[in-house]
Every structure is written in structure tokens, then in C-alpha cells.
Amino acid sequence: MPTDRGVAMRSPHLLAVELCRFLDEEHVCYSLMGDASVPSQLGPSRVELVIARQAVLDVPLLLHKFCQRSEGKLVTCVRHQHSGWRALLSWTSRDERPEFVSVELFGDFVRRGRIVLTADQVLKSRVIESSSEAAQVRVRPSYYVAAPAIEFVYYLVRCAYEGKLTDEQGQHLRDCWQRNPTGTGAQVRRFWDADREGGVIARAVEANSWDAVREILPLLKSAVRRRAGLNASECVY
């Protein structure tokens, strides 16, 4: 998927960085979330971005404009709940094969009708990240990601609702925790009892072993459902 600047989109990570650059140019406040913030040999299953609430209604137009600039195609763009959109983007690889990446852009992070994190909570603490992979192909390598504590709780809640936590995902969680142990611990206590699920999470991070957390993913999801509404107006970093 070559862009107007000659960049070949060879991975979902590079597409994510290019989309971040586009949003910067369009003056849309965003934060890149989840796997797409980390280059991977396998690549993330999707690109996820939190954007300012006032930009949510403009997502189809923004993605159409991005694809036009990037010589890609917007295959589908479907409203998801009330807070965001799910889209499928495609482009032609260097060897003339079609490739696809799922993209989600949303404001508040909502699960089963409950706000887990508001867009304001995510965006007001976002930080600059850089990508050596992007720099190698002359895409501007800097982009915004969520603060480590926010990324940790977002990512773990996503894993809990999807019922899956791989070792690679566990490593991403551990990296977030190690970048800000105090803030991440505070976020965990917002959603999970420190003497129960929260303690299991903390021990998993310390040991870098996620087997026990995998066993209690349904409990983590249940706790989020109980406490998400109470925490939606709070934010501790």
C-alpha cells in the first residue's frame, strides 16, 4: 500500500503509524492502543485507536480520505455500539497480492454497555512513542500511545473479554507495568480487589508467568462489569 510519500505499508504496525501521522495532520487527537504500538513479526490482529469524542462521527470520512492518500481501499466501515467504528482496510502488497488490516477507532472504551475508560482519561495522559521500523521506511516514527498504566488496564480488560492471554500479550502487560509500577498498580486496584484478582495479577507480573491469570479471566471480566460504571468518572495514574 504505497502512500503519496512513497512508503510501502508492509505491516499492520507501519499502517498504524501512517494512520497516526494522518490524524496528526487532520488535527485529530488520538492514542494508539494495544498490539499495534509494538512491532511484531506476526503483526497485530487489528489496529486500535482512541480518538477525541467530537471526531467519532467523522471516522468514515477520515478513513476514506486516508485510503485515498495511501492508495488503499476502505472495504467496510461499521458503527460499533455508540462510541466507535470497526473498519477493514486493504492494499496491494509489493508482490501484487491483496492484504487486509482491521481498524477500530473509538472514543470511550466500552464493554457490554459499560464505560471502562473515557476518551478523556486516555488522551489527557498520552505519551510520545517511537518506532525504529517506521524510521527505516521513512515514515515519521513518532506517534502517541496511552500512558503505561492506562494501556495496562485497557489491554488486560480486552484480553479478559476475549478470553485469551498469550505469553506475548503477557509480556506487553509486564512491559507496561515496569514502565510505571505505581500508576499501574493504582489502575489495577480500581477494577480488581487487591487481595483477590489484583493480587493474582501482581504476582503474574513479578514472575512473568500468566497461567494463573488465564484461569481467572472470567472473574476479571465479571469484576469489570461490576466496577466499570463506578470508575468511569475517576482516573488515577
Side-chain angles (χ1 to χ4, degrees):
M1 181 177 176
T3 69
D4 56 342
R5 293 174 177 81
V7 177
M9 307 306 292
R10 296 185 298 274
S11 74
H13 174 71
L14 288 177
L15 182 140
V17 176
E18 181 71 2
L19 181 54
C20 289
R21 182 175 68 166
F22 169 79
L23 292 174
D24 275 330
E25 293 172 351
E26 295 294 316
H27 306 291
V28 175
C29 189
Y30 71 88
S31 176
L32 183 62
M33 311 294 291
D35 312 62
S37 64
V38 182
S40 168
Q41 290 183 345
L42 298 177
S45 59
R46 59 184 175 268
V47 173
E48 300 159 88
L49 297 107
V50 168
I51 62 174
R53 284 180 184 147
Q54 60 267 31
V56 169
L57 291 177
D58 297 329
V59 164
L61 182 60
L62 287 167
L63 289 179
H64 179 71
K65 188 175 180 180
F66 171 71
C67 288
Q68 280 188 319
R69 288 191 185 182
S70 305
E71 298 182 12
K73 293 182 180 179
L74 180 58
V75 180
T76 61
C77 187
V78 180
R79 192 70 185 263
H80 179 59
Q81 299 186 15
H82 295 290
S83 62
W85 299 80
R86 287 180 172 171
L88 183 67
L89 276 60
S90 73
W91 70 94
T92 302
S93 66
R94 284 180 169 176
D95 56 0
E96 300 300 320
R97 291 185 301 177
E99 298 188 14
F100 302 88
V101 170
S102 297
V103 178
E104 294 186 14
L105 291 95
F106 50 94
D108 298 330
F109 177 45
V110 177
R111 283 297 180 268
R112 298 287 178 88
R114 293 179 181 269
I115 297 176
V116 180
L117 293 166
T118 67
D120 289 343
Q121 288 171 347
V122 175
L123 296 175
K124 77 177 183 180
S125 63
R126 64 184 187 155
V127 296
I128 287 284
E129 189 64 89
S130 61
S131 166
S132 58
E133 183 182 351
Q136 290 172 4
V137 291
R138 299 189 300 278
V139 176
R140 189 173 62 196
S142 297
Y143 50 91
Y144 287 101
V145 299
I150 293 294
E151 170 66 14
F152 183 96
V153 73
Y154 162 82
Y155 199 78
L156 185 53
V157 168
R158 196 191 78 175
C159 288
Y161 270 83
E162 294 180 354
K164 182 182 72 172
L165 176 56
T166 66
D167 288 340
E168 185 179 38
Q169 291 171 324
Q171 185 61 54
H172 180 58
L173 289 167
R174 190 168 190 258
D175 291 344
C176 291
W177 186 295
Q178 290 180 327
R179 290 172 65 185
N180 184 0
T182 301
T184 306
Q187 282 294 326
V188 168
R189 290 190 294 274
R190 289 178 64 221
F191 293 95
W192 299 290
D193 190 327
D195 295 325
R196 300 176 59 190
E197 304 95 341
V200 175
I201 295 167
R203 290 189 291 274
V205 171
E206 183 176 358
N208 198 22
S209 175
W210 297 89
D211 290 341
V213 177
R214 292 185 187 101
E215 293 178 2
I216 64 167
L217 287 177
L219 296 178
L220 299 185
K221 183 169 70 171
S222 297
V224 169
R225 284 202 301 264
R226 291 194 304 270
R227 302 178 72 170
L230 299 176
N231 293 324
S233 61
E234 304 172 4
C235 202
V236 181
Y237 302 105

